[in-house]
């Protein structure tokens, strides 16, 4: 069986389970379950702390895992990203009291508090900056107020909590993270079960990104219509009973669907419909 690590809690857990369910895999019914077997799909799922998943995958005991890019890099584990999943996006940045620093070069000789020591230490080293890094678990905003550090490095979403603590972000982002599928570095990338797993997740990603659009248009307007809805390879075009009309079907980006419908209507297309895609293979 394919052995897969899944986050057992936190912001990664729910979306990961939802994506796996959409991909056709059985998921646990209770949060207390730490392992389940999906015999139909020949998969065994292990529910682990997100921060530990890269370590388990790197050990070779598990084939693949879902975790955050930030957690993968911070772990220093011998594992690599093979598929970004598009959820749990975040930006990792430095923050401090106003006037403390304007860029990473100003951190020389300072102390940085963070929960992601591996990421920060590596980023400072790559930038040639000699600064101390203090590892703290949980909220790090109070590290500056209590004098533990002059600077913090943390995940920033809206920045509200930092502003409430009297801090401001500065410099370029350290990194941008999201949920990713990982495997042990150097393992066979063509292993059939792994490839099937990745195809299923890719199918979910496409299904979430696109909708199917159907419409009727006059033959003389077909070229303009096809330019608006080129599809992935090309649209399907079928003649209608009424002479001079054709039916067109194509996949279009979901976020652009309303604009495309307006443009199609403007050139004379009618009976324009969109349908959600639940699964696909490209």
């Amino acid at each position: 069986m394919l052995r897969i690590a899944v986050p057992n809690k936190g912001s990664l857990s729910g979306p990961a389970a939802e994506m796996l369910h959409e991909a056709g895999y059985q998921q646990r019914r209770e949060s207390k379950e730490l392992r389940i077997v999906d015999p139909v799909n020949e998969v065994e799922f292990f529910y682990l702390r997100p921060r530990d998943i890269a370590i388990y995958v790197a050990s070779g005991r598990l084939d693949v895992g879902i975790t955050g890019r930030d957690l993968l890099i911070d772990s220093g584990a011998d594992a690599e990203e093979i598929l970004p999943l598009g959820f749990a996006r975040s930006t990792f940045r430095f923050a401090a009291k106003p006037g403390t620093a304007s860029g990473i070069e100003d951190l020389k000789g300072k102390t940085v508090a963070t929960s992601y020591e591996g990421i920060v230490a590596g980023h400072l080293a790559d930038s040639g900056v000699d600064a101390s890094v203090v590892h703290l678990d949980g909220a790090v905003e109070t590290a500056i107020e209590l004098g533990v550090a002059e600077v913090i490095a943390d995940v920033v979403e809206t920045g509200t909590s930092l502003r409430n603590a009297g801090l401001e972000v500065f410099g370029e982002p350290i990194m941008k993270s999201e949920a990713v599928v990982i495997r042990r570095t150097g393992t066979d990338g063509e292993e059939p079960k792994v490839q099937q797993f990745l195809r299923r997740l890719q199918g979910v990603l496409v299904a979430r990104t696109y909708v199917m659009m159907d419409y009727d248009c006059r033959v003389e307007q077909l070229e303009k219509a096809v330019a608006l809805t080129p599809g992935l390879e090309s649209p399907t075009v079928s003649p209608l009973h009424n002479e001079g009309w054709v039916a067109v079907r194509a996949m279009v980006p979901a976020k652009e669907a309303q604009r495309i419908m307006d443009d199609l209507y403007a050139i004379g297309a009618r009976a324009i419909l969109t349908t959600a895609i639940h699964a696909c293979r490209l």
Side-chain angles (χ1 to χ4, degrees):
M1 284 192 171
L2 187 68
R3 294 157 66 90
I4 302 174
V6 184
N8 68 343
K9 59 182 178 180
S11 62
L12 291 165
S13 178
E18 182 180 355
M19 175 170 277
L20 290 168
H21 177 73
E22 290 180 36
Y25 293 106
Q26 178 182 332
Q27 288 297 286
R28 62 181 181 174
R29 296 181 178 179
E30 297 182 4
S31 60
K32 293 181 180 179
E33 293 181 277
L34 301 179
R35 170 186 169 274
I36 68 165
V37 175
D38 181 351
V40 174
N41 293 298
E42 298 183 328
V43 172
E44 191 173 9
F45 291 103
F46 294 83
Y47 297 87
L48 307 169
R49 291 179 67 246
R51 189 172 283 276
D52 295 337
I53 286 176
I55 304 297
Y56 281 105
V57 172
S59 74
R61 298 293 189 271
L62 302 178
D63 300 299
V64 295
I66 296 175
T67 188
R69 182 181 294 130
D70 52 352
L71 297 175
L72 167 63
I73 295 174
D74 191 61
S75 71
D78 192 19
E80 61 184 357
E81 172 184 335
I82 55 176
L83 179 67
L85 297 177
F87 63 86
R89 289 191 171 102
S90 61
T91 303
F92 202 66
R93 304 196 67 167
F94 290 114
K97 293 284 187 181
T100 301
S102 60
I104 191 171
E105 63 279 355
D106 297 326
L107 299 184
K108 183 177 180 180
K110 289 183 168 57
T111 300
V112 182
T114 183
S115 299
Y116 298 82
E117 184 178 1
I119 292 176
V120 176
H123 184 66
L124 291 170
D126 292 342
S127 302
V129 175
D130 184 14
S132 300
V133 180
V134 175
H135 177 84
L136 295 175
D137 286 322
V140 296
E141 292 91 341
T142 55
I144 295 177
E145 182 180 353
L146 296 177
V148 175
E150 297 100 327
V151 178
I152 66 169
D154 202 6
V155 173
V156 177
E157 295 181 359
T158 63
T160 301
S161 61
L162 292 177
R163 287 191 293 272
N164 290 340
L167 308 179
E168 63 179 13
V169 298
F170 64 87
E172 295 297 318
I174 300 169
M175 69 170 296
K176 292 189 176 182
S177 182
E178 64 181 292
V180 296
V181 179
I182 65 171
R183 69 179 176 201
R184 185 179 183 183
T185 303
T187 53
D188 182 12
E190 300 303 318
E191 206 281 320
K193 289 183 179 179
V194 173
Q195 288 302 308
Q196 182 186 66
F197 176 69
L198 295 177
R199 280 195 300 272
R200 287 197 180 192
L201 295 186
Q202 288 167 334
V204 172
L205 291 172
V206 172
R208 291 177 172 183
T209 305
Y210 288 85
V211 294
M212 189 66 71
M213 185 169 289
D214 294 90
Y215 58 90
D216 301 337
C217 75
R218 298 284 305 178
V219 172
E220 55 267 25
Q221 297 298 326
L222 182 58
E223 290 304 316
K224 291 182 179 179
V226 168
L228 293 170
T229 59
L232 296 186
E233 280 83 23
S234 65
T236 300
V237 179
S238 306
L240 292 177
H241 179 71
N242 289 342
E243 187 175 350
W245 283 82
V246 293
V248 182
R249 163 170 279 200
M251 290 172 63
V252 302
K255 64 181 181 180
E256 299 178 21
Q258 292 295 334
R259 177 190 60 78
I260 292 172
M261 293 175 78
D262 291 338
D263 292 343
L264 286 171
Y265 192 89
I267 64 171
R270 295 295 182 266
I272 309 169
L273 307 174
T274 61
T275 308
I277 301 171
H278 296 291
C280 69
R281 296 289 185 276
L282 300 181

